[in-house]
Amino acid sequence: MNQSEFVNIITPFKDRVYRLAKRLLISNEEAEDATQEVMVRLWKNKNKLESYSSVEALAMTITKNYCLDQLKSKRATEMRLVHSNYSDREPGLQQQAEDRDSWEWAEKLMNKLPEQQRLILQMRDVEQYDFEEIAKIMDMNESAVRVALSRARKMMREELTKMHSYGIKRN
Amino acid sequence: MELREIEILLDKYFDAETSVAEENQLKMYFSSSNVAPHLEQYRSMFGYFAQAGRQRFEKTIPLKTKKRYVGWLSVAASVVIAFGVFTFINKEPQEDLGTFDDPEIALRETQKALNLLSNNVNKGVNSINYLEEYENSRKTIFKK
């Protein structure tokens, strides 16, 4: 496999890898580094890629494991970085400022969820994977994925309702 | 879409029973401008999900073809080592430092060299005498 063939394989899902990494690591820079790392790992194993039924699922699994390892080692060294780049947005989105504010709130709420629920919510509600794929990536069975997803969504609902009734969103 | 239908879908959604297509219906509904007031709080969540899916990875991926480079590096290193060993083996024996024909002069020169050496050694020994003085005074003080 040469370089351009490899690039053709990873192009459809490299953004998803980045978004999953960002969901766990929060920081843009760390997510970019993680994405590069994952792609380099795939490249090093390029000869084995054909034996996998879905390279995308493999990439997502590697990303998940790599990012969880990163978080673990960060915790072990007691380095708690406070990320302040929530305000980072894609340019060119012609949306109302009010929408952006409320999206930031939703993002903060989502990033407060436990890692496993965050991963599953990301893969389902942002990336729209089906349960079978998520179960494979997470190495869980489908009903366990459903339970975790339902828990994550209900947690979001609870927080959003709380926020809504306090009127924080409307200030 | 009927509000009642949306409410049913939402209940299914929170129980993780909806299909991807049904979830897209929800996203569509909440991106529209006529969201029912009592469902308003979910608008930011569905809006955020849609927006989060638009983030892109902009950096390049470093796919170095490192292996070939490393191979050539080892070739270069072995050439350097071979060259070094070769020159070391072929090195000329050290050049002649000269000698004396007359044994008298040889003796004198040797003595001169040894004298120089011992003088320098004595220089160091002299300063040890100071230490002896310290030792003497220490003894006189601490005996009393």
Side-chain angles (χ1 to χ4, degrees):
Chain A
M1 186 186 293
N2 65 31
Q3 204 161 319
S4 67
E5 282 171 334
F6 178 75
V7 170
N8 284 340
I9 290 177
I10 62 163
T11 301
F13 60 81
K14 68 173 174 28
D15 292 331
R16 292 198 191 115
V17 164
Y18 170 67
R19 292 193 287 255
L20 190 73
K22 187 157 184 251
R23 181 64 58 207
L24 281 177
L25 301 174
I26 313 296
S27 132
N28 287 335
E29 288 76 21
E30 282 177 70
E32 279 164 0
D33 289 348
T35 310
Q36 288 179 332
E37 175 66 27
V38 170
M39 295 308 166
V40 167
R41 282 187 192 183
L42 284 177
W43 172 246
K44 280 182 184 156
N45 292 306
K46 57 182 183 293
N47 297 325
K48 285 181 236 156
L49 290 187
E50 269 128 30
S51 62
Y52 286 93
S53 55
S54 162
V55 179
E56 178 168 346
L58 173 72
M60 294 303 259
T61 309
I62 296 174
T63 310
K64 178 204 78 181
N65 292 336
Y66 178 77
C67 293
L68 290 177
D69 281 351
Q70 291 288 103
L71 289 174
K72 215 183 282 170
S73 67
K74 211 194 280 175
R75 263 168 217 153
T77 52
E78 303 262 335
M79 263 176 55
R80 298 291 272 167
L81 294 175
V82 179
H83 300 295
S84 53
N85 57 3
Y86 285 110
S87 60
D88 182 74
R89 289 178 219 105
E90 292 296 302
L93 289 179
Q94 304 294 313
Q95 309 285 343
Q96 290 176 353
E98 193 191 319
D99 273 350
R100 286 186 174 169
D101 267 4
S102 63
W103 291 345
E104 273 179 53
W105 271 111
E107 179 171 44
K108 276 185 195 176
L109 291 182
M110 187 170 170
N111 289 344
K112 268 198 268 177
L113 294 174
E115 279 142 17
Q116 190 203 50
Q117 292 180 19
R118 225 189 298 168
L119 283 165
I120 293 174
L121 194 62
Q122 168 78 15
M123 284 191 275
R124 179 66 181 190
D125 279 346
V126 179
E127 311 297 356
Q128 307 200 317
Y129 284 151
D130 56 43
F131 286 109
E132 194 191 335
E133 286 171 304
I134 297 173
K136 203 166 130 196
I137 294 165
M138 295 300 294
D139 195 22
M140 295 163 71
N141 64 46
E142 283 184 38
S143 57
V145 170
R146 275 178 201 274
V147 168
L149 180 66
S150 167
R151 215 167 274 163
R153 284 171 174 173
K154 282 176 177 162
M155 198 93 93
M156 292 289 286
R157 177 173 67 180
E158 198 180 309
E159 292 293 318
L160 285 168
T161 310
K162 224 188 276 175
M163 224 166 60
H164 190 70
S165 55
Y166 287 157
I168 295 169
K169 211 176 72 175
R170 301 208 153 270
N171 55 357
Chain B
M1 192 188 265
E2 288 284 312
L3 183 59
R4 185 79 202 109
E5 270 177 83
I6 291 294
E7 282 171 344
I8 291 167
L9 272 189
L10 261 182
D11 282 342
K12 271 175 81 185
Y13 171 81
F14 286 112
D15 289 330
E17 307 267 294
T18 38
S19 67
V20 171
E22 287 169 328
E23 284 162 21
N24 281 333
Q25 280 185 323
L26 284 173
K27 274 184 194 166
M28 282 277 286
Y29 172 75
F30 282 102
S31 67
S32 69
S33 50
N34 51 354
V35 175
H38 69 287
L39 300 177
E40 178 69 26
Q41 67 263 41
Y42 303 126
R43 209 159 62 92
S44 62
M45 181 173 74
F46 287 103
Y48 171 66
F49 288 152
Q51 183 259 353
R54 288 194 286 262
Q55 288 182 315
R56 297 261 171 276
F57 177 69
E58 307 286 1
K59 281 202 157 181
T60 52
I61 297 154
L63 299 177
K64 278 171 254 158
T65 40
K66 226 177 196 172
K67 269 178 195 159
R68 240 187 305 160
Y69 183 67
V70 170
W72 282 110
L73 202 68
S74 64
V75 170
S78 50
V79 167
V80 168
I81 289 169
F83 184 73
V85 169
F86 181 76
T87 48
F88 184 73
I89 290 169
N90 279 19
K91 204 162 61 172
E92 296 273 317
Q94 274 221 321
E95 49 191 278
D96 207 351
L97 290 173
T99 183
F100 294 102
D101 291 330
D102 192 343
E104 284 279 314
I105 300 170
L107 179 68
R108 241 188 290 136
E109 288 297 322
T110 312
Q111 280 175 334
K112 219 162 86 185
L114 289 176
N115 262 333
L116 190 69
L117 179 71
S118 59
N119 274 341
N120 281 323
V121 169
N122 278 341
K123 239 188 246 169
V125 172
N126 275 340
S127 46
I128 294 176
N129 290 338
Y130 287 117
L131 285 180
E132 233 159 83
E133 279 302 314
Y134 283 125
E135 183 69 9
N136 285 340
S137 38
R138 188 185 70 84
K139 273 179 187 159
T140 47
I141 289 165
F142 283 100
K143 256 174 196 167
K144 278 175 189 174

